[in-house]
Amino acid sequence: MGDREIDQQLVERAQRGDKQAFELLVIKYQRKLIRLLSQFIRDSAEVEDVAQETFIKAYRSLSSFRGDSAFYTWLYRIGINAAKNFLVAQKRRVSKASIGFDIEDVENFKEGSELHDLSTPESELISKQTAQIVHQALNELPEELRTAITLREIEGLSYEEIANVMDCPTGTVRSRIFRAREVISDKLLSFKESKREIN
């Protein structure tokens, strides 16, 4: 039995009033949801609050879950909407939301892979600068591009799953991810060219 089928059984049990079944879903997805939300919200205590709010909303809306998509894509959609609502309530522009990337995350982008070959102080500085450029490029992306690339590169969701989370066609997801990667690659390319000119 696959993950999706197990989740569906837990959802059906929870829909019949089995609170323990829903608790199992919370335990299973809590860390993943927190990791996703922390891509949009800076403060870890606020992330915890929004995650808790997401699970409460999911529990209250459980009767409307029909299993057309995987449980976690439905949960992620609720989480992203809760994060947007939180940011609006905080009077912050979503485009200014922090995305916390470590240097390891840069390896997910094709331009970053060769930067880890040599571990010299200079290469480590370049790696840090590359991470900052990726971070900055992500922050400057329009919200729908940033959400799509985050779900793909950080969360590892398939195009179909992202389409479910973002409630749009798969072709739109592919196009958003392509455009996001293009922007990030362009920024990294111009950084590399500027480094070459200096040297």
Side-chain angles (χ1 to χ4, degrees):
M1 187 183 293
D3 241 20
R4 186 167 171 171
E5 290 82 8
I6 293 167
D7 287 356
Q8 187 60 37
Q9 283 189 357
L10 289 171
V11 167
E12 286 167 10
R13 282 173 46 198
Q15 286 171 331
R16 291 193 298 269
D18 182 346
K19 287 196 169 111
Q20 193 176 6
F22 190 75
E23 283 171 23
L24 290 171
L25 288 166
V26 172
I27 290 163
K28 184 174 180 181
Y29 290 110
Q30 193 165 22
R31 284 180 63 203
K32 286 182 179 179
L33 180 66
I34 285 170
R35 192 173 67 194
L36 174 68
L37 295 173
S38 67
Q39 305 303 317
F40 301 93
I41 300 167
R42 180 175 293 173
D43 185 284
S44 60
E46 290 170 344
V47 169
E48 296 274 350
D49 289 347
V50 175
Q52 193 172 17
E53 182 190 333
T54 300
F55 281 116
I56 291 167
K57 284 181 176 173
Y59 186 73
R60 288 181 181 155
S61 306
L62 210 54
S63 60
S64 68
F65 179 74
R66 298 278 171 252
D68 300 329
S69 64
F71 172 76
Y72 68 87
T73 60
W74 179 74
L75 181 70
Y76 281 7
R77 187 186 308 170
I78 295 170
I80 287 171
N81 287 333
K84 285 182 195 173
N85 292 341
F86 170 80
L87 291 166
V88 168
Q90 292 291 314
K91 293 186 173 48
R92 292 183 197 153
R93 292 190 54 235
V94 175
S95 62
K96 297 285 186 206
S98 168
I99 295 188
F101 276 82
D102 293 324
I103 192 69
E104 286 78 20
D105 296 316
V106 176
E107 291 172 351
N108 290 328
F109 299 95
K110 61 180 181 188
E111 298 294 330
S113 58
E114 73 270 14
L115 293 173
H116 293 279
D117 295 346
L118 300 167
S119 188
T120 63
E122 186 185 52
S123 72
E124 296 209 359
L125 173 66
I126 290 169
S127 294
K128 283 192 176 110
Q129 290 169 332
T130 303
Q132 287 169 351
I133 288 159
V134 170
H135 176 95
Q136 185 183 348
L138 279 160
N139 280 340
E140 291 169 2
L141 287 173
E143 180 196 324
E144 68 275 4
L145 299 189
R146 190 174 72 238
T147 301
I149 195 84
T150 298
L151 290 171
R152 180 72 182 159
E153 300 292 354
I154 310 301
E155 294 303 313
L157 266 60
S158 70
Y159 290 106
E160 292 73 24
E161 290 167 330
I162 297 167
N164 278 326
V165 171
M166 296 188 75
D167 201 19
C168 65
T170 309
T172 305
V173 169
R174 287 182 188 281
S175 155
R176 287 173 180 174
I177 290 169
F178 175 80
R179 285 178 12 232
R181 284 179 177 153
E182 214 173 22
V183 170
I184 292 164
S185 290
D186 287 349
K187 294 241 163 146
L188 286 169
L189 200 62
S190 60
F191 166 68
K192 283 181 179 178
E193 284 168 1
S194 70
K195 291 300 283 178
R196 249 182 244 122
E197 286 166 19
I198 292 166
N199 297 330

